[in-house]
Amino acid sequence: MRKTFRQPHALAALVVAILMGQLSGCATTSAQTSPTEYAAALPEAEGNSEHTAQPQHVETDVIDERYTDVWEKIQHARTIDVHDDAEVRKQRNFFDDKQKFMTQVTLRAEPFLYYIVSQLEARNMPLELALLPIVESGYNPLAQANGPAGLWQMIPATGRNFGLTINSAYDGRKDALASTDAVLDYLQHLHDTLGNDWINAVAGYNSGELVIKAAIDRNKAKGKPTDFWSLNIPARQVQTVPKWLAFIQIIRAPSHYNLKVMPIANRPFLERLPAPNGVELSQIANAAGLTKAEFKTYNPGYRQSVIPSKGKYQIALPIENIGQYQENQHQLSAQKRYDSQSYIVKSGDSLGTIAAKFDISVKELKQANNLNSDRIKIGQELTLLTPMSSEDNTSTETPKQSKAQTTYQAAKAKTSSKTADKPTAKASTYKVKSGDSLDKIARKNKVKLADLMKWNQLNAKSIIKPGQELKLSE
């Protein structure tokens, strides 16, 4: 079984420092595979090609047999036109000969790169976008920089608005596969909104779409082109862009920059399965023949040691471990399971009073929330894990309904049958409910997310609140 992705926390901090502060040095990781040397010449200017959005979240098992290495496939994409720009040259020069960093990036990217590239292909988006996590996080799904987090460094508001679940037990931004689905939705939205220009889209992802839209509007008013290179946006406002463009050139001809890129097999590495609610991560790892650390490598979105008992979640496992997991899956039902709920700290609360209120120990409360001290703040969200009853602890299937639940659902069904034949007019507005996101509202009301944002003058960082009324049409 392949064992990849070894990364101590100190190394993760160094990588972020390199990208953000231009510091040198990364921990050495020995290569176990002979590097791939590409024979490509230096990048030449090429025209952008138009792309049409394809159905989203497409799962594809089709493997392009022309390439055995995913990096090679990205190298030959040649969709993004990289100009000979001073800032791009500066970034190329900085990363020139940073072999330790490139090797570590490749090891981190191995479980996820095929999925990202296959999703880009399915959506007809530039494969070069798969290089963006190199400059955002060093391909570290656990990277955290104040608000932004994960491979793609999304902020919470943007993540929620594009369908990611973020709570005290799980952060979808750190789930490498789920966050990729959300980010590609977002980048497609930015492309369509910002002049159908992919570099504008990455610039908007970095600085905010309103900044780039304002620059586009200024050029339009002056009769000037609106492609990224014509906008003349100060480099300090879009620092990610020259780094990303530099890496496009580096991957196209790594040997020219004194770098060797270890190959990543052009085949699926991970497969997603429904997560067993309430089961400890260590039990799932054991069932799949993985260590807990390996399981966390592939499932970095889980913040606690147990899958939340409510809600639909997924786990990602190496394909070579799926069979073993399925054989042992029946054993999971015998493990201790927990019920999970959130609690917002109020004035006067302490860990002791909260633990007493929910009949759990302070130690259990601290373990569930990774707390190293007894200090908590008003407004802080805590996860409460309480053992489920013995009736609910014997199976991973949905527990039997109580008599009251059955009676209520029967009455509800009867009422629904009386009104089923009555035609209902499509609502023109929607009142935001607790737990809503722009993505959920768009899907629920069968409208495009981009249209919903346009009708309500919102952007990806907009925060919506319960009770807020949104337009569902022009």
Side-chain angles (χ1 to χ4, degrees):
M1 180 183 69
R2 275 178 295 187
K3 295 185 178 180
T4 60
F5 209 86
R6 295 290 185 262
Q7 51 175 12
H9 294 298
L11 179 59
L14 279 174
V15 172
V16 173
I18 284 177
L19 292 170
M20 303 303 294
Q22 304 259 313
L23 299 176
S24 62
C26 292
T28 303
T29 303
S30 60
Q32 297 178 356
T33 311
S34 59
T36 297
E37 279 290 359
Y38 298 138
L42 284 174
E44 299 177 357
E46 298 179 25
N48 282 327
S49 59
E50 293 297 318
H51 294 265
T52 305
Q54 297 295 313
Q56 298 169 349
H57 313 309
V58 176
E59 297 289 349
T60 175
D61 292 323
V62 178
I63 299 174
D64 191 339
E65 298 292 350
R66 289 178 299 169
Y67 306 109
T68 58
D69 179 7
V70 186
W71 292 121
E72 189 179 8
K73 183 185 286 190
I74 298 171
Q75 176 209 3
H76 285 89
R78 301 285 176 146
T79 304
I80 302 299
D81 179 12
V82 183
H83 285 199
D84 186 22
D85 178 80
E87 283 297 321
V88 176
R89 289 197 301 272
K90 177 181 175 182
Q91 294 301 326
R92 282 203 319 259
N93 291 337
F94 173 74
F95 287 105
D96 189 358
D97 205 25
K98 296 290 191 300
Q99 184 60 53
K100 293 177 183 177
F101 173 69
M102 195 67 239
T103 300
Q104 191 64 43
V105 162
T106 302
L107 291 173
R108 287 179 176 151
E110 184 180 8
F112 314 121
L113 189 62
Y114 175 85
Y115 179 82
I116 293 172
V117 169
S118 66
Q119 289 301 302
L120 289 168
E121 272 189 314
R123 295 163 178 254
N124 201 21
M125 297 171 72
L127 302 191
E128 292 95 331
L129 291 172
L131 304 178
L132 194 52
I134 296 179
V135 298
E136 290 288 354
S137 66
Y139 253 101
N140 177 9
L142 293 173
Q144 181 89 44
N146 295 324
L151 278 185
W152 302 91
Q153 290 292 284
M154 291 191 90
I155 64 171
T158 303
R160 289 190 176 100
N161 284 339
F162 282 85
L164 292 178
T165 298
I166 302 172
N167 55 42
S168 59
Y170 171 83
D171 188 341
R173 297 173 302 157
K174 292 182 179 180
D175 182 322
L177 307 188
S179 64
T180 293
D181 296 338
V183 167
L184 299 194
D185 287 348
Y186 184 25
L187 287 170
Q188 185 67 61
H189 161 74
L190 291 170
H191 169 268
D192 297 346
T193 304
L194 303 175
N196 296 318
D197 185 301
W198 286 111
I199 306 182
N200 281 351
V202 173
Y205 185 84
N206 181 199
S207 65
E209 63 187 281
L210 298 183
V211 172
I212 308 305
K213 190 173 187 308
I216 289 174
D217 291 342
R218 283 196 299 270
N219 272 30
K220 280 184 177 178
K222 297 176 183 178
K224 294 183 177 180
T226 59
D227 63 282
F228 175 80
W229 302 106
S230 301
L231 296 180
N232 295 319
I233 300 169
R236 66 180 182 277
Q237 289 187 297
V238 286
Q239 295 179 15
T240 294
V241 174
K243 292 179 182 178
W244 173 58
L245 295 174
F247 261 100
I248 291 175
Q249 291 190 319
I250 288 169
I251 292 299
R252 286 175 179 173
S255 60
H256 183 80
Y257 303 102
N258 302 309
L259 293 171
K260 297 177 181 179
V261 184
M262 292 167 55
I264 293 178
N266 183 32
R267 62 174 181 268
F269 188 103
L270 297 173
E271 183 174 323
R272 286 189 282 192
L273 301 168
N277 294 97
V279 175
E280 294 175 347
L281 302 187
S282 58
Q283 300 299 328
I284 302 172
N286 287 340
L290 301 169
T291 66
K292 187 176 179 180
E294 287 169 337
F295 181 82
K296 284 287 289 181
T297 289
Y298 309 127
N299 298 274
Y302 291 105
R303 290 171 156 174
Q304 311 298 343
S305 62
V306 59
I307 304 290
S309 65
K310 297 177 182 177
K312 294 182 178 179
Y313 294 88
Q314 292 184 316
I315 56 172
L317 297 176
I319 288 176
E320 60 195 29
N321 294 82
I322 296 292
Q324 183 173 348
Y325 173 73
Q326 291 174 335
E327 288 178 6
N328 298 324
Q329 193 173 3
H330 67 281
Q331 298 176 6
L332 298 177
S333 60
Q335 308 304 324
K336 187 174 182 180
R337 291 162 59 85
Y338 296 86
D339 191 15
S340 171
Q341 65 186 89
S342 295
Y343 179 82
I344 305 299
V345 176
K346 301 178 179 61
S347 177
D349 276 342
S350 69
L351 289 182
T353 59
I354 296 171
K357 183 185 295 186
F358 293 94
D359 195 24
I360 56 178
S361 70
V362 171
K363 181 180 178 181
E364 289 171 331
L365 185 58
K366 291 173 71 173
Q367 285 178 340
N369 292 277
N370 293 329
L371 298 177
N372 296 318
S373 72
D374 293 340
R375 296 177 61 185
I376 52 176
K377 299 178 181 178
I378 295 174
Q380 182 177 349
E381 186 179 17
L382 296 178
T383 296
L384 307 175
L385 298 178
T386 54
M388 297 175 69
S389 67
S390 57
E391 290 181 1
D392 293 335
N393 199 32
T394 58
S395 174
T396 56
E397 296 178 358
T398 304
K400 292 182 179 180
Q401 295 177 328
S402 67
K403 185 176 181 182
Q405 289 174 314
T406 305
T407 303
Y408 167 75
Q409 291 194 357
K412 184 178 178 182
K414 186 175 181 181
T415 303
S416 300
S417 65
K418 290 181 179 179
T419 58
D421 296 331
K422 294 181 180 180
T424 55
K426 188 174 181 180
S428 59
T429 61
Y430 177 85
K431 188 169 285 188
V432 177
K433 300 178 179 62
S434 178
D436 272 343
S437 68
L438 292 178
D439 177 76
K440 288 180 182 177
I441 294 169
R443 293 177 189 275
K444 184 185 296 183
N445 292 279
K446 297 180 180 179
V447 298
K448 292 182 179 179
L449 178 59
D451 289 339
L452 181 65
M453 296 168 73
K454 175 182 164 187
W455 297 331
N456 294 279
Q457 297 182 331
L458 301 171
N459 61 65
K461 296 181 181 179
S462 298
I463 297 175
I464 54 176
K465 300 177 180 178
Q468 181 178 347
E469 200 164 89
L470 300 178
K471 296 179 184 178
L472 295 177
S473 61
E474 190 72 70

